[in-house]
């Protein structure tokens, strides 16, 4: 390529991370620069980060054009990464600088490589040997030649750091400066593979063959929890590593990554690189740089790991592909599952979407022949999907203020007698969703949002689940000032804990909810203890639906199976179906078969019936027919427009004007609905109005939206967010 190198003084166009709508011209620095180079450029009085994006336009006074300050010591952005950012920006209608920020989310990228002290075996032998000294030298000898940080070495030898320092003084251990950003250890694809079942072997071979094709492809890997999907896609990772390409495994929940990292280590002998919000800043920087220079073979991460500068990405696994947390809901609104497919298509890489309960989107792509489908039908080992039944709450005899029906109580009692575990599932954090004044009827709400405050008795506070605002539990009603008349209405998991403790005073009970833990580590430790049998009855939110193993669990009781069906969300049925099946899938993972009981007031509801029958294909077919008829995703296209401002008049005025001036949308046959106050009409003191745009699947929606939205001038404090393929409608 002739255009890929610029000599000193050549004009280059630089994309910066600053919110500007154009590239800026600079002169290439001394020594020149490559296309894609990460650079530091002057902007006014500041220095900002940018990427050399192409030739300069030269439409600016040449005398005023400044020089690039310096080229950063990191691998230049590759052509495919540039294409990916451009296409992702077009798809999500995001300005390029915001995309570049996503692609450079590692602090200190521009800093000179920082150094740290490392320790390795020295040449002398100490005159006086002690047990502690012997341990340190033993570790260094075992790892011949390798060096460690002070803390690593002390930990591995199980001695205090002073022992190591003492050895340094004696010359038995040498201390050196080494760059902090070191390559990740090599993974061995043949280290610890398991012997696969017949099903698994077929799946693994299909994925290996797809990888060897060296082209793009997506495979839906379906199988109930525990069917051995992870084991199968780790075989695909192994093949990818053998081919010398990089692999990425996306997980929805960082709380789960610890368990997963251990599995990777058991499979490949070493730990992979990690990328998520729980990783330190220095480690993030190391990850970004090493991925860019090909010194990290496998990354395990959250959705933003898609925007790392892979050198040769061959495989992306999206585990639990149906999980709603793959959709980023603020800043750049993207769905990591869809962006994974885009990135792979550009890179000639393979995608594996793993799930027990795939999204209708993926199901439809299989039907349309766009994705390959692999299915693991039996569970690994003996257990099968639990027996499922409804408990008809209309006929259960249950006093007010209690939620465990006599039938469910009896089933739990049986488990207690047999020494097995039960899980009570309620997808509601806190003690009670409503705090009501019995004197005046006032319900305590959030001051900044149109949402009720939820009582968290454990924290002794009320909390808004929209904005996170908390306040102490009042003793008098904020409205009528009556004393001691506030009462909790409805159940949350904490309240279920109380009820269950009263019903089963001798049982060991644990409430699992993300807000009850100070750290992900504390939560993990507790889950581990529960799995070992430390608890008889587990009470949990959605947290327990996600991949934790409880081998002694044989009963799942769902307190309110109707909960998810009430929303106006087009995916309400799909989500309830998935969640109920996942929760039910927690029961009977080892040798003992499980049972799932769903408390419901509408046992004849189509979704509840499909869950009970375990008849996935007919559920998906019926759901697909309904969505086709309604022209909604995945059979039609949708975009949400959210206008928000402290000024309520302005959001409605602009909303109405947008609905009126819908020419560009009508031109492609799209329709606009609204403006309507968003279901939560006020969040953090901002009023929110929504419009919804619907179009046919083949319509060029993004172009029309850009043209349409571009017609309006936004008042200073008003923010417009365009959400392509919205997942949430709040
Ligand atoms: P999934 O990802 O479908 O939930 P996993 O791959 O986690 O299933 O498998 C469930 C359990 O069975 C895990 O503990 C895993 O280690 C074990 N397992 C899966 N496949 C095998 C195998 N071929 N040999 C031995 N154990 C296996
Ligand atoms: Zn709030």
């Amino acid at each position: 390529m002739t255009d890929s190198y610029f000599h000193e003084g050549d004009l280059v166009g630089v994309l910066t991370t600053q919110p500007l709508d154009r590239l800026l011209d600079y002169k290439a620095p001394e020594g020149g620069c490559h296309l894609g180079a990460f650079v530091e450029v002057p902007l006014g009085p500041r220095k900002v980060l940018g990427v050399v994006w192409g030739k300069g336009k030269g439409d600016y006074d040449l005398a005023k054009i400044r020089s690039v300050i310096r080229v950063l010591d990191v691998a230049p952005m590759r052509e495919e990464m540039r294409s990916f950012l451009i296409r992702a920006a077009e798809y999500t209608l995001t300005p390029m600088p915001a995309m570049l920020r996503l692609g450079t989310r590692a602090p200190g990228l521009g800093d000179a490589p920082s150094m740290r002290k490392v320790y390795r075996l020295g040449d002398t032998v100490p005159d006086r040997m002690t047990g502690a000294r012997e341990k340190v030298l033993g570790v260094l000898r075992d790892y011949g030649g390798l060096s460690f940080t002070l803390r690593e070495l002390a930990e591995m030898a199980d001695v205090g750091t002073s022992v190591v320092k003492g050895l340094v003084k004696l010359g038995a251990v040498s201390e050196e400066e080494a760059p902090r950003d070191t390559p990740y250890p090599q993974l061995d694809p043949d280290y610890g593979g398991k012997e696969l079942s017949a099903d698994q072997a077929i799946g693994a071979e299909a994925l290996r063959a797809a990888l060897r094709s060296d082209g793009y492809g997506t495979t839906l890997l379906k199988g109930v929890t525990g069917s051995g999907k992870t084991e199968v896609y780790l075989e695909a990772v192994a093949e990818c590593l053998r081919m010398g390409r990089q692999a990425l495994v996306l997980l929805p929940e960082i709380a789960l990554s610890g368990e997963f990292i251990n599995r990777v280590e058991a499979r490949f002998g070493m730990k992979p690189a990690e990328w998520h919000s729980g990783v330190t800043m220095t480690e993030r920087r190391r990850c970004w740089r090493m991925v860019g220079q090909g010194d990290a073979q496998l990354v395990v991460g959250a959705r933003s790991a898609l925007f790392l500068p892979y050198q040769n990405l061959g495989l992306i696994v999206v585990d639990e592909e149906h999980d709603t947390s793959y959709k980023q809901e603020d800043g750049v609104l993207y769905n990591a599952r869809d962006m994974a497919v885009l990135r792979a298509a550009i890179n000639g890489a393979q995608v594996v979407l793993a799930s027990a309960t795939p999204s209708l989107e993926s199901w439809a792509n299989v039907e349309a022949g766009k994705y390959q489908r692999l299915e693991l039908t039996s569970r690994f080992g003996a257990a099968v999907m639990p027996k499922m039944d409804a408990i008809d709450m209309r006929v259960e005899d249950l006093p007010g203020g209690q939620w465990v029906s006599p039938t469910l109580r009896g089933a739990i009692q049986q488990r207690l007698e047999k020494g097995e575990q039960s899980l009570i599932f309620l997808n509601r954090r806190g003690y009670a969703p409503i705090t009501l004044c019995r004197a005046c009827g006032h319900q305590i709400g959030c001051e900044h949002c149109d949402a009720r405050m939820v009582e968290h008795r454990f924290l002794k506070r009320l909390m808004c689940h929209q904005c996170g605002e908390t306040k102490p539990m009042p003793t008098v009603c904020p409205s009528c000032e009556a004393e001691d008349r506030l009462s909790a209405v409805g159940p949350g998991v904490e309240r279920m804990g109380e009820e269950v403790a009263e019903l089963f005073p001798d049982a060991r009970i644990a409430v699992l909810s993300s807000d009850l833990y100070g750290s992900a580590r504390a939560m993990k430790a507790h889950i581990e203890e529960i799995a070992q049998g430390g608890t008889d009855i587990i009470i949990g939110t959605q947290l327990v639906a996600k991949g934790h193993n409880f081998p002694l669990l044989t009963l799942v009781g769902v307190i309110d199976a109707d909960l998810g069906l009430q929303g106006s969300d087009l995916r309400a049925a799909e989500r309830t179906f998935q969640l109920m099946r996942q929760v039910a899938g927690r029961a009977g993972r080892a040798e003992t078969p499980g049972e799932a009981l769903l408390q419901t007031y509408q046992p004849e509801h189509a979704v509840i019936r499909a869950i009970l029958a375990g008849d996935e294909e007919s559920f998906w077919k019926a759901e697909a027919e309904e969505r086709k008829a309604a022209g909604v995703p995945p059979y039609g296209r949708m975009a949400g427009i959210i206008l928000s401002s402290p000024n309520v008049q302005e959001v409605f005025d602009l909303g109405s004007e947008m609905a009126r001036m819908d020419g560009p949308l009508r031109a492609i046959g799209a329709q606009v609905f609204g403006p309507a106050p968003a279901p939560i009409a006020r969040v953090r003191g901002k009023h929110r109005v929504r419009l919804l745009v619907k179009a046919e699947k083949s319509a060029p929606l993004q172009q029309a939206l850009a043209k349409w939205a571009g017609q309006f001038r936004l008042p200073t404090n008003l923010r417009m967010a365009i959400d392509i393929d919205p997942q949430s409608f709040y």
Side-chain angles (χ1 to χ4, degrees):
M1 255 199 333
T2 46
D3 283 338
S4 71
Y5 186 79
F6 301 96
H7 295 277
E8 178 175 355
D10 286 353
L11 272 194
V12 293
V14 173
L15 172 68
T16 71
T17 52
Q18 303 303 303
L20 306 164
D21 56 7
R22 57 188 298 264
L23 300 182
L24 301 176
D25 277 4
Y26 291 94
K27 287 181 192 143
E30 192 186 330
C33 59
H34 283 278
L35 181 66
F38 285 85
V39 291
E40 196 172 79
V41 292
L43 185 67
R46 291 179 304 152
K47 294 176 184 172
V48 302
L49 178 69
V51 170
V52 175
W53 210 254
K55 268 194 210 166
K57 270 177 104 177
D59 57 354
Y60 196 66
D61 182 0
L62 207 58
K64 286 195 192 146
I65 290 184
R66 299 200 266 175
S67 282
V68 166
I69 299 170
R70 65 191 180 99
V71 177
L72 306 186
D73 183 23
V74 296
M77 186 182 283
R78 303 173 63 83
E79 182 59 39
E80 63 229 21
M81 181 71 183
R82 287 154 32 93
S83 312
F84 174 55
L85 293 181
I86 292 170
R87 305 249 316 256
E90 285 167 358
Y91 191 86
T92 58
L93 290 171
T94 303
M96 280 307 291
M99 289 315 299
L100 183 59
R101 279 199 295 279
L102 259 185
T104 51
R105 286 219 317 218
L109 271 191
D111 301 352
S114 74
M115 306 295 276
R116 63 174 178 179
K117 288 197 169 72
V118 295
Y119 298 81
R120 66 172 80 237
L121 206 56
D123 335 302
T124 51
V125 180
D127 300 337
R128 200 174 60 81
M129 219 20 145
T130 63
R133 286 179 175 175
E134 187 48 57
K135 280 201 253 176
V136 173
L137 297 176
V139 165
L140 290 176
R141 270 186 235 113
D142 286 350
Y143 285 88
L146 282 187
S147 58
F148 301 93
T149 63
L150 185 58
R151 225 188 52 211
E152 281 167 355
L153 183 53
E155 252 171 41
M156 288 169 76
D158 195 21
V159 300
T161 51
S162 58
V163 179
V164 179
K165 292 213 168 131
L167 287 166
V168 171
K169 280 210 191 90
L170 297 171
V173 169
S174 77
E175 184 185 80
E176 302 158 13
E177 293 279 325
R180 189 178 290 281
D181 296 337
T182 48
Y184 288 86
Q186 284 285 318
L187 304 183
D188 177 359
D190 302 309
Y191 180 83
K194 290 200 164 76
E195 197 175 315
L196 300 182
S197 70
D199 250 14
Q200 285 179 316
I202 293 169
E205 185 45 38
L207 293 179
R208 281 194 294 262
L211 272 156
R212 285 193 297 262
S213 78
D214 246 351
Y216 158 75
T218 295
T219 304
L220 179 63
L221 177 61
K222 185 177 172 314
V224 294
T225 314
S227 59
K229 297 184 295 299
T230 308
E231 223 56 60
V232 171
Y233 72 64
L234 287 178
E235 291 309 307
V237 171
E239 187 70 7
C240 183
L241 301 184
R242 282 185 203 108
M243 293 170 66
R245 300 183 74 178
Q246 290 167 300
L248 164 64
V249 175
L250 293 177
L251 300 179
E253 187 86 356
I254 22 160
L256 278 180
S257 70
E259 193 179 331
F260 187 77
I261 299 289
N262 293 340
R263 267 182 95 164
V264 168
E265 192 178 9
R267 176 65 185 81
F268 299 115
M270 290 287 172
K271 289 193 166 74
E274 278 185 76
W275 178 271
H276 51 72
S277 57
V279 168
T280 61
M281 290 299 167
T282 8
E283 194 57 24
R284 267 175 169 253
R285 192 182 93 142
R286 174 185 178 209
C287 182
W288 195 96
R289 295 176 73 111
M290 293 305 126
V291 165
Q293 65 190 54
D295 283 325
Q297 294 160 285
L298 170 62
V299 179
V300 173
R303 57 187 177 226
S304 60
L306 268 179
F307 292 89
L308 288 171
Y310 299 92
Q311 213 189 34
N312 185 3
L313 185 61
L315 172 69
I316 307 174
V317 176
V318 185
D319 199 1
E320 310 283 352
E321 67 94 30
H322 60 275
D323 198 289
T324 50
S325 69
Y326 281 123
K327 179 67 186 279
Q328 165 126 333
E329 296 286 6
D330 45 39
V332 180
L333 306 176
Y334 68 94
N335 188 322
R337 178 193 62 215
D338 302 342
M339 291 303 120
V341 170
L342 173 63
R343 176 133 210 200
I346 293 171
N347 273 48
Q350 289 288 318
V351 179
V352 175
L353 305 176
S355 176
T357 52
S359 60
L360 185 58
E361 272 80 3
S362 297
W363 193 85
N365 279 324
V366 169
E367 290 285 291
K370 290 188 200 159
Y371 296 174
Q372 175 187 199
R373 165 171 166 164
L374 289 174
E375 184 149 4
L376 301 179
T377 45
S378 57
R379 282 192 159 191
F380 192 78
V384 287
M385 198 65 181
K387 182 164 139 341
M388 293 205 247
D389 274 306
I391 295 177
D392 186 346
M393 295 302 281
R394 296 168 306 189
V395 302
E396 292 282 325
D397 187 12
L398 196 60
Q402 288 184 29
W403 291 275
V404 179
S405 65
T407 306
L408 181 55
R409 192 191 315 163
I412 297 172
Q413 185 60 44
Q414 282 177 11
R415 295 321 188 281
L416 285 174
E417 283 159 15
K418 285 195 278 183
E420 295 171 3
Q421 285 179 330
S422 305
L423 165 68
I424 293 183
F425 176 77
L426 175 65
N427 204 12
R428 259 195 190 142
R429 291 182 290 140
Y431 185 81
I434 304 174
T435 303
L436 177 84
C437 171
R438 294 266 176 226
C440 72
H442 177 75
Q443 299 184 358
I444 299 185
C446 174
E447 282 160 33
H448 317 286
C449 308
D450 270 358
R452 295 192 191 103
M453 296 290 271
V454 176
E455 180 183 354
H456 285 248
R457 204 158 275 192
F458 177 77
L459 303 170
K460 299 196 178 59
R461 291 181 89 77
L462 289 168
M463 187 190 293
C464 170
H465 286 183
Q466 286 315 314
C467 70
E469 170 86 355
T470 71
K471 58 185 176 197
M473 188 67 200
T475 49
V476 301
C477 171
S479 174
C480 73
E481 300 186 353
E483 261 180 72
D484 297 324
R485 298 298 302 277
L486 291 172
S487 72
V489 178
V493 277
E494 294 178 20
R495 194 171 195 180
M496 291 308 306
E498 275 182 15
E499 182 179 341
V500 171
E502 267 168 42
L503 292 175
F504 305 103
D506 298 328
R508 294 165 304 161
I509 296 167
V511 177
L512 272 181
S513 173
S514 53
D515 53 331
L516 301 182
Y517 296 94
S519 67
R521 181 187 300 217
M523 181 171 94
K524 215 198 134 220
H526 191 202
I527 288 175
E528 201 46 52
E529 184 198 317
I530 294 171
Q532 304 295 328
T535 297
D536 303 310
I537 305 174
I538 308 158
I539 297 163
T541 59
Q542 160 149 313
L543 186 69
V544 296
K546 297 190 175 174
H548 303 291
N549 290 339
F550 299 108
L552 303 174
L553 185 74
T554 59
L555 173 70
V556 171
V558 177
I559 292 299
D560 189 352
D562 309 330
L563 195 57
L565 292 174
Q566 292 151 5
S568 55
D569 188 332
L570 77 99
R571 294 183 180 83
E574 175 181 352
R575 298 238 165 98
T576 303
F577 184 80
Q578 290 166 340
L579 190 59
M580 292 299 116
R581 281 187 65 89
Q582 282 157 21
V583 174
R586 301 289 110 209
R589 285 184 55 116
E591 286 67 37
T592 354
E595 182 178 16
L597 297 173
L598 277 55
Q599 298 193 155
T600 171
Y601 285 91
Q602 32 187 343
E604 65 292 327
H605 192 292
V607 176
I608 301 287
R609 289 219 315 255
I611 295 167
L612 294 177
D615 186 354
E616 284 178 280
E617 297 287 326
S618 36
F619 172 77
W620 289 123
K621 289 213 169 89
E623 182 66 14
E625 284 312 315
E626 281 195 17
R627 300 240 198 125
K628 255 182 219 159
V632 297
Y635 304 100
R637 307 203 52 197
M638 268 168 52
I641 317 295
I642 306 105
L643 305 175
S644 60
S645 163
N647 184 328
V648 66
Q649 192 61 44
E650 284 180 358
V651 277
F652 274 98
D653 286 351
L654 180 64
S656 312
E657 192 187 346
M658 290 181 76
R660 256 196 329 274
M661 297 179 52
D662 64 348
L665 295 176
R666 255 186 293 132
I668 61 158
Q671 287 172 285
V672 193
F673 300 89
I680 298 170
R682 203 165 54 108
V683 174
R684 293 187 183 89
K686 290 197 173 163
H687 297 274
R688 305 167 75 245
V689 158
R690 290 190 70 105
L691 294 110
L692 189 66
V693 177
K694 266 175 73 177
E696 285 194 10
K697 187 145 177 100
S698 57
L701 182 60
Q702 277 87 345
Q703 285 161 27
L705 283 170
K707 213 163 157 194
W708 176 54
Q711 304 176 102
F712 309 100
R713 266 191 65 87
L714 308 189
T716 339
N717 277 326
L718 193 149
R719 221 180 89 77
M720 179 195 303
I722 301 184
D723 186 3
I724 306 289
D725 311 327
Q727 290 280 325
S728 98
F729 296 82
Y730 77 87

